[in-house]
Amino acid sequence: MISTKDAIDLEEKYGAHNYHPLPVVLARGEGVYVWDPEGNRYFDFLSAYSAVNQGHCHPHIIGALKSQAETLTLTSRAFYNNVLGEFEEFACRTFGFDKVLPMNTGAEGVETAIKICRKWGYEKKVIAENEAKIVVCSSNFHGRTVTIISFSDDEGASKNFGPYTPGFIKVEYNNTEQLEAVLRDENVAGFLVEPIQGEAGVKVPDEDFLRKARKLCSEQNVLLIADEIQTGIARTGSLLAVCGNCTCEGDCERQSETYVKPDILILGKALSGGVYPVSAVLADKDVMDVIKPGQHGSTYGGNPLGTKVAIAAMEVVRDEKLAQNARRLGNIFRGEMEKLQDECELITVIRGKGLLNAVEINDSPGSTTAWDLCMKLKENGLLAKPTHGNIIRFAPPLVMTEDQLMECIGIIRKTFLEFGQG
Ligand SMILES: *Cc1c(COP(=O)(O)O)cnc(C)c1O
């Protein structure tokens, strides 16, 4: 097998340098573990940015992939296929919407939601042609297309990629006063928001932020668009982050007081358990019906292979009660990190929900401390990645057991305490 060094050299030589990976090569994965070519085992604490919530190579999902791969993989939407309808029913029932539109990647899901929202704005809210606006939040992350980076705060993501797509207004994340003010503009069609901002460093808004946003949007006839590509599929301790404290696994009556129903829900990443790219946009009839034949689509979107994989991935979340596990282990994780914080000056802030957590490191965003800590964690058998310089995200697969989590907390403790001593 190719060595770690040779694999990295090849990527350096032939690959576009659009990422800055930690210098570890992954050659195999199973559940919460990954292995490098030399056979060293690591706990995966990134889970491919929460795409692998069900764990690496989950046998139920891989089984679905294998059998569908031998049967039928792609038909295009020029014809019906015998899996898509089953997926659509499963997704609508699981997440509580009338209709779903399947795509492939997260960014495509966001683009789809923006298109549906604008079209709804013109045809249902009767906004004048080309005047529709969508409100977005500071420090958002919604993907990498030209339109999406047009409303990003991240200079690296947007600089020299202009001209930018117009029609977006930015408000401060978690600021309902600013939101209320901009929603009065009658050309506003939608409010696009992450229930927790993952890429920004796991920013958790006030408990009632979404509920207030829901109320304001309803009052002004504006669509609430939730990007749950990272927070959805049990990651934050409920099936969706918009479910709040509801612990059901998808068979919900949606009467929980904490549930906030968005008008448009965007899913991706763990919707297919890290096995095959599948994203989806869900909405009720009155919104989704603005899209007519020929107005939007994707060659691979809704293909039998991807949709079969996605059904299996959603079954795993339900059958293995991953939301409940994420909630329980998340509470343990933050509790143990708080104990560590008392003993170790490296940690300034601990935040998160379920198994989407972050630790802020006591150094400037320009420092290498968080990166150096992640290198030490790697040497000790645990993979995590710094974000925004001084934040480390901890997001293991949701199939983790309590014993495994305690072993990982041991690794993190040891690494931080040794590092703190220089
Ligand atoms: C990852 C992510 C996306 C983009 O998904 P891709 O599959 O990488 O295009 C969009 N929104 C959020 C919140 C994400 O975490």
Side-chain angles (χ1 to χ4, degrees):
M1 196 193 286
I2 191 171
S3 70
T4 288
K5 184 182 178 306
D6 290 348
I8 291 177
D9 287 349
L10 282 174
E11 284 200 34
E12 286 298 317
K13 180 155 186 230
Y14 293 105
H17 290 176
N18 57 332
Y19 279 90
H20 180 43
L22 216 69
V24 61
V25 173
L26 303 182
R28 187 160 76 83
E30 191 185 317
V32 298
Y33 300 114
V34 285
W35 286 263
D36 68 16
E38 288 74 25
N40 299 303
R41 194 186 77 178
Y42 306 90
F43 284 103
D44 180 359
F45 260 66
L46 185 63
S47 310
Y49 299 100
S50 296
V52 194
N53 289 0
Q54 297 87 339
H56 289 276
C57 298
H58 193 291
H60 182 63
I61 310 175
I62 297 304
L65 176 86
K66 281 184 177 167
S67 74
Q68 190 61 43
E70 290 170 342
T71 310
L72 183 67
T73 57
L74 182 63
T75 57
S76 85
R77 299 286 303 275
F79 312 110
Y80 290 88
N81 74 62
N82 70 344
V83 186
L84 178 56
E86 188 195 338
F87 162 79
E88 289 171 338
E89 181 183 30
F90 200 116
C92 286
R93 291 222 169 129
T94 301
F95 302 109
F97 288 86
D98 295 341
K99 297 241 163 215
V100 57
L101 196 162
M103 296 293 283
N104 310 286
T105 64
E108 283 177 319
V110 175
E111 288 273 343
T112 302
I114 290 170
K115 287 174 73 176
I116 294 171
C117 178
R118 283 181 167 186
K119 207 155 191 298
W120 174 90
Y122 297 119
E123 294 172 10
K124 300 279 173 94
K125 193 171 173 176
V126 203
I127 295 172
E129 197 179 337
N130 285 326
E131 294 295 328
K133 294 175 196 158
I134 293 176
V135 179
V136 298
C137 292
S138 58
S139 62
N140 68 71
F141 181 84
H142 297 287
R144 300 292 194 169
T145 66
V146 168
T147 289
I148 294 170
I149 59 113
S150 294
F151 54 82
S152 169
D153 284 350
D154 177 353
E155 202 182 271
S158 61
K159 192 169 179 345
N160 289 339
F161 293 118
Y164 303 114
T165 307
F168 298 94
I169 315 174
K170 206 172 289 167
V171 295
E172 197 189 344
Y173 188 59
N174 194 30
N175 187 331
T176 43
E177 275 152 41
Q178 278 187 22
L179 181 64
E180 183 168 16
V182 299
L183 292 188
R184 287 197 200 106
D185 178 343
E186 53 194 28
N187 289 334
V188 170
F191 173 48
L192 171 63
V193 64
E194 299 157 84
I196 292 173
Q197 290 188 323
E199 292 311 298
V202 190
K203 282 197 190 165
V204 185
D206 294 342
E207 183 107 13
D208 57 356
F209 169 61
L210 275 183
R211 218 170 320 139
K212 283 187 181 162
R214 170 69 281 176
K215 186 162 172 283
L216 294 170
C217 287
S218 299
E219 284 166 5
Q220 300 297 336
N221 194 24
V222 165
L223 300 183
L224 177 64
I225 309 169
D227 179 348
E228 291 239 31
I229 292 168
Q230 188 159 157
T231 53
I233 323 294
R235 171 54 60 186
T236 64
S238 46
L239 182 65
L240 300 169
V242 294
C243 295
N245 295 327
C246 177
T247 48
C248 86
E249 307 286 334
D251 49 3
C252 187
E253 300 296 323
R254 293 194 172 72
Q255 286 166 348
S256 153
E257 273 174 29
T258 56
Y259 175 61
V260 172
K261 184 171 180 172
D263 300 294
I264 302 180
L265 172 70
I266 314 166
L267 298 173
K269 293 199 169 116
L271 181 59
S272 52
V275 170
Y276 186 101
V278 179
S279 62
V281 176
L282 292 106
D284 281 343
K285 270 200 209 75
D286 55 323
V287 171
M288 192 66 91
D289 283 353
V290 301
I291 298 289
K292 302 278 187 313
Q295 296 174 347
H296 188 58
S298 158
T299 303
Y300 274 82
N303 74 75
L305 187 60
T307 46
K308 202 73 182 177
V309 162
I311 293 168
M314 290 186 283
E315 285 170 345
V316 169
V317 172
R318 179 195 64 196
D319 296 345
E320 300 188 13
K321 300 199 181 320
L322 295 188
Q324 285 176 34
N325 199 48
R327 172 177 302 236
R328 196 172 64 85
L329 295 194
N331 287 335
I332 295 171
F333 181 80
R334 285 183 300 281
E336 293 293 325
M337 287 297 111
E338 277 155 22
K339 285 188 208 160
L340 177 58
Q341 185 179 21
D342 291 339
E343 298 166 56
C344 173
E345 290 182 353
L346 277 168
I347 301 175
T348 52
V349 181
I350 298 153
R351 58 172 176 252
K353 204 167 175 217
L355 280 175
L356 183 60
N357 294 292
V359 165
E360 233 172 79
I361 302 302
N362 187 10
D363 208 337
S364 69
S367 70
T368 62
T369 307
W371 177 272
D372 297 340
L373 268 166
C374 287
M375 290 295 290
K376 291 284 180 213
L377 285 169
K378 171 181 99 74
E379 282 164 29
N380 292 329
L382 188 148
L383 298 180
K385 185 90 202 289
T387 172
H388 295 272
N390 62 341
I391 301 169
I392 303 176
R393 174 172 24 197
F394 290 108
L398 311 184
V399 292
M400 184 165 269
T401 64
E402 187 174 337
D403 284 350
Q404 288 167 336
L405 181 73
M406 292 316 291
E407 191 182 337
C408 294
I409 288 164
I411 295 173
I412 296 168
R413 274 188 72 81
K414 172 174 175 281
T415 308
F416 274 59
L417 291 172
E418 280 175 8
F419 193 95
Q421 285 156 9

